[in-house]
Amino acid sequence: MTTSFSAPSSPSLRPLGVVLLVWGIAALLVAVSGVLASVPVPPPALAILFAGLVLVTYAVSPGIRARLNAVPMRALVAIHLLRIFAGANFLRLSAQGTLPVDFALPAGIGDVAVGLAAGLVLFFALPVEQPRQRTAVLVWNTLGLIDILAVLANGARYAIAEPSLILPFTKLPLAMLPLFVVPLVIVSHVLVFVRLRRS
């Protein structure tokens, strides 16, 4: 009598996709409503809050943790290609005077640089098979996280000193950044660190 053993299957990512879809639609509806302009919590703090909620859920829920750990590394890095477009938009708004130059210029340059570097990581460093590839991913991920946290810190400084300067982040299209995109960026950076540590 022969007994066959099968490797445990990876958890389905479909529920995670549904959650992301619902989150994105909810963020869009909130942005369209204009309610963010009257919310006492500034956009940078909202981004940190949503990222924190996801990470706390990741820490306490084995099911969520298993699903997030099953997200391919390529997907976690590819998310950051969006930063090329976000950064380019920051530079455009800076040139138009819509956003303060000393906020939008470094944010735009940083996002474009991290986004372009994500493309290089996708092409040259994934899958991670050699120590130098792991080092490249680690360096990119560290600098990318530092960049997004610096942008949030600079945005928080403006929210305290001159709240009117961050009003563009309370309506479309920029409202989608604190409500959806930036939390995903932060969470993806953390997940990349976890994946590298496990490897």
Side-chain angles (χ1 to χ4, degrees), residues 19-78:
V19 170
L20 287 176
L21 179 62
V22 171
W23 181 7
I25 292 173
L28 183 61
L29 293 176
V30 170
V32 169
S33 72
V35 71
L36 277 184
S38 58
V39 171
V41 182
L46 284 175
I48 294 292
L49 175 63
F50 289 133
L53 287 174
V54 174
L55 293 175
V56 168
T57 304
Y58 172 84
V60 302
S61 171
I64 296 297
R65 184 161 59 251
R67 285 188 166 86
L68 288 176
N69 285 340
V71 175
M73 178 78 95
R74 284 190 177 277
L76 295 175
V77 176

Side-chain angles (χ1 to χ4, degrees), residues 57-127:
T57 304
Y58 172 84
V60 302
S61 171
I64 296 297
R65 184 161 59 251
R67 285 188 166 86
L68 288 176
N69 285 340
V71 175
M73 178 78 95
R74 284 190 177 277
L76 295 175
V77 176
I79 290 172
H80 297 265
L81 295 175
L82 294 173
R83 295 170 74 168
I84 299 173
F85 305 101
N89 193 39
F90 278 147
L91 296 177
R92 179 181 66 84
L93 294 175
S94 173
Q96 292 177 348
T98 304
L99 291 176
V101 173
D102 58 347
F103 167 78
L105 190 60
I109 293 174
D111 271 343
V112 170
V114 172
L116 291 175
L120 295 177
V121 168
L122 286 168
F123 191 78
F124 293 108
L126 295 180

